[in-house]
């Protein structure tokens, strides 16, 4: 199975945003050494929980620090940027690291209403033309003249560079159709809502049309995973993330606790039931159990690649998640 990495540069309890970004670099270097296929950085705004607000910038840094692994965005948020700027950024990245850059895009805002309006400089955000913006960016990246009248009298430079891979993120059948028709990869965010179906995956494949960016369909699925040699250790490391999500659902956003803080955190019976329900989007267990589950999911749904997001408090424990999965699945 092909394994990849999704990172949000989490700011865990007792750490700073600078720490989080340096740890993203450490993770990229390890992933490169272990044989992971790609690493993507997410885009989050107006939060002290994640430091990944400029994934295209982090992509440039991580690509320079690695040798083989593909690096990209998972994703850069379309609504905040012009198609021309996106094309120029990713063509520049690809010129520096040919054959290793991924242009992964999402249609979500990645932040609250205040950040949405700040990023649009107070103007009414355009939220109903995402696919058209994506089409224009793809045309500009491919040195084509866009149909959009705003862009058909300009070019995106640098020209004639090796194309990045293009991906559309989503968690619905509509996203699957749109990704397929455009001949780009489809990335399903299973850790958002745990509602992946075989129908969604098959819909993408049925609608796929080869393009300059991708000759055949490619699907990756993002999972939140906490694993260790034993189930007991995995449970101990997973509880901070369980509590973070519990509080997030109630509008309380903060740093991920230490395992010791989480162990002593007071939980009601209702809290425990909610955490149990949330485990459908947080895979926790001994590494052999998790490896088997991922293989079974791949066999059932027919995707190509599992993209792992993991947020233990300790950086060493987080790196261990990827070491252990590589040992079992490569």
């Amino acid at each position: 199975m092909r394994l990849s990495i999704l990172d949000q540069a989490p700011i865990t309890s007792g750490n700073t945003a600078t720490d989080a970004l340096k740890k993203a670099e450490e993770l990229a270097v390890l992933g490169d050494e272990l044989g992971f296929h790609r690493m993507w950085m997410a885009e989050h705004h107006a939060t002290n929980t994640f430091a990944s607000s400029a994934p295209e910038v982090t992509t440039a840094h991580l690509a320079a620090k690695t040798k083989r692994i593909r690096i990209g965005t998972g994703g850069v948020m379309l609504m905040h940027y012009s198609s021309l700027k996106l094309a120029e950024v990713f063509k520049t990245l690809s010129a520096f690291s040919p054959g290793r850059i991924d242009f992964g895009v999402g249609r979500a805002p990645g932040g609250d209403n205040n950040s949405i309006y700040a990023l649009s400089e107070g103007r009414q955000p355009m939220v109903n033309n995402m696919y058209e913006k994506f089409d224009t960016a793809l045309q500009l990246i491919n040195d084509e003249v866009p149909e959009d009248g705003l862009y058909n009298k300009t070019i995106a430079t640098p020209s004639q560079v090796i194309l990045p891979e293009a991906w559309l993120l989503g968690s619905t059948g509509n996203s699957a159709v749109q990704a397929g028709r455009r001949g780009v990869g489809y990335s399903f965010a299973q850790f958002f809502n745990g509602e992946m179906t075989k129908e969604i995956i098959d819909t993408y494949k049925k609608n796929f049309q080869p393009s300059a960016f991708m000759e055949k369909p490619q699907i990756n699925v993002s999972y939140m995973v906490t694993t260790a040699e034993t189930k007991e250790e995995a449970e101990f490391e997973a509880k901070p993330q369980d509590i973070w999500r519990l509080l997030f659902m109630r509008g309380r956003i903060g740093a991920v606790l230490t395992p010791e803080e989480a162990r002593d955190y007071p939980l009601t019976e209702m809290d425990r039931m909610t955490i149990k329900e949330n485990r459908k989007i947080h895979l926790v267990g001994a590494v052999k159990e998790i490896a088997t589950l991922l293989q079974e999911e791949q066999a059932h749904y027919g995707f190509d690649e599992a993209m792992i997001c993991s947020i233990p408090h300790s950086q060493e424990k987080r790196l261990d998640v990827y070491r252990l999965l590589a040992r079992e699945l490569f």
Side-chain angles (χ1 to χ4, degrees):
M1 174 187 291
R2 235 168 37 190
L3 287 180
S4 292
I5 301 167
L6 174 64
D7 191 29
Q8 301 161 305
I11 307 170
T12 54
S13 175
N15 289 282
T16 67
T18 299
D19 295 332
L21 290 169
K22 290 299 293 184
K23 290 174 179 179
E25 179 187 317
E26 292 174 6
L27 181 55
V29 171
L30 178 68
D32 196 33
E33 294 171 352
L34 291 175
F36 280 77
H37 185 62
R38 72 180 90 240
M39 178 172 172
W40 285 353
M41 298 300 299
E43 180 173 334
H44 294 283
H45 300 286
T47 173
N48 289 321
T49 303
F50 303 114
S52 185
S53 59
E56 69 283 8
V57 175
T58 313
T59 292
H61 180 76
L62 298 185
K65 293 289 183 177
T66 53
K67 299 176 182 178
R68 179 205 51 81
I69 190 171
R70 299 190 67 91
I71 303 289
T73 54
V76 66
M77 296 308 176
L78 275 171
M79 67 184 300
H80 303 310
Y81 314 107
S82 81
S83 297
L84 177 60
K85 184 61 176 177
L86 288 173
E88 290 181 334
V89 165
F90 282 86
K91 293 177 82 171
T92 300
L93 289 169
S94 192
F96 275 119
S97 302
R100 293 181 54 213
I101 298 299
D102 293 339
F103 175 46
V105 303
R107 296 176 296 121
D112 61 12
N113 284 334
N114 291 328
S115 61
I116 293 171
Y117 277 92
L119 285 163
S120 65
E121 297 186 296
R123 294 185 292 271
Q124 179 67 34
M126 298 177 67
V127 297
N128 298 316
N129 67 336
M130 299 294 189
Y131 295 124
E132 290 81 2
K133 285 185 73 171
F134 189 37
D135 289 338
T136 301
L138 292 176
Q139 290 171 326
L140 288 166
I141 290 172
N142 199 29
D143 296 332
E144 298 175 359
V145 177
E147 298 175 4
D148 189 319
L150 181 63
Y151 296 100
N152 62 12
K153 295 179 178 63
T154 188
I155 61 171
T157 56
S159 300
Q160 299 180 345
V161 301
I162 292 178
L163 295 178
E165 279 190 6
W167 290 76
L168 182 64
L169 282 63
S171 56
T172 67
N174 184 57
S175 301
V177 170
Q178 299 296 338
R181 288 175 177 172
R182 286 162 174 79
V184 301
Y186 180 54
S187 180
F188 187 88
Q190 175 71 346
F191 74 103
F192 278 8
N193 54 29
E195 295 179 357
M196 179 169 57
T197 65
K198 198 169 188 308
E199 180 182 9
I200 290 175
I201 302 300
D202 290 344
T203 294
Y204 164 72
K205 292 179 179 178
K206 290 175 183 176
N207 283 276
F208 186 84
Q209 299 176 22
S211 72
F213 294 90
M214 208 165 279
E215 294 181 356
K216 59 183 181 179
Q218 289 192 56
I219 305 163
N220 69 43
V221 178
S222 300
Y223 291 93
M224 178 68 69
V225 175
T226 306
T227 192
E229 291 284 11
T230 67
K231 182 174 178 61
E232 291 74 22
E233 184 182 357
E235 289 286 349
F236 181 68
E237 296 295 336
K239 196 170 182 182
Q241 181 63 22
D242 290 334
I243 292 173
W244 183 88
R245 185 168 291 277
L246 177 72
L247 297 178
F248 174 76
M249 293 169 64
R250 297 171 181 171
R252 295 165 57 190
I253 304 174
V256 176
L257 302 175
T258 67
E260 292 76 16
E261 290 169 336
R263 178 194 59 202
D264 300 331
Y265 192 90
L267 294 171
T268 67
E269 189 58 33
M270 182 62 71
D271 291 338
R272 297 181 193 281
M273 291 173 62
T274 302
I275 288 174
K276 184 177 180 180
E277 173 64 18
N278 285 343
R279 283 294 180 85
K280 71 180 182 181
I281 54 175
H282 183 192
L283 307 184
V284 180
V287 64
K288 291 187 181 298
E289 173 190 353
I290 297 299
T292 298
L293 176 59
L294 290 173
Q295 289 171 322
E296 290 173 348
E297 293 258 307
Q298 182 190 37
H300 176 71
Y301 292 108
F303 58 81
D304 303 291
E305 172 184 339
M307 180 166 271
I308 307 301
C309 181
S310 191
I311 312 182
H313 180 271
S314 158
Q315 173 72 344
E316 193 58 30
K317 293 295 184 183
R318 184 162 79 129
L319 298 179
D320 277 347
V321 168
Y322 296 95
R323 291 187 184 108
L324 290 168
L325 288 172
R327 185 191 74 191
E328 294 297 324
L329 292 169
F330 289 163

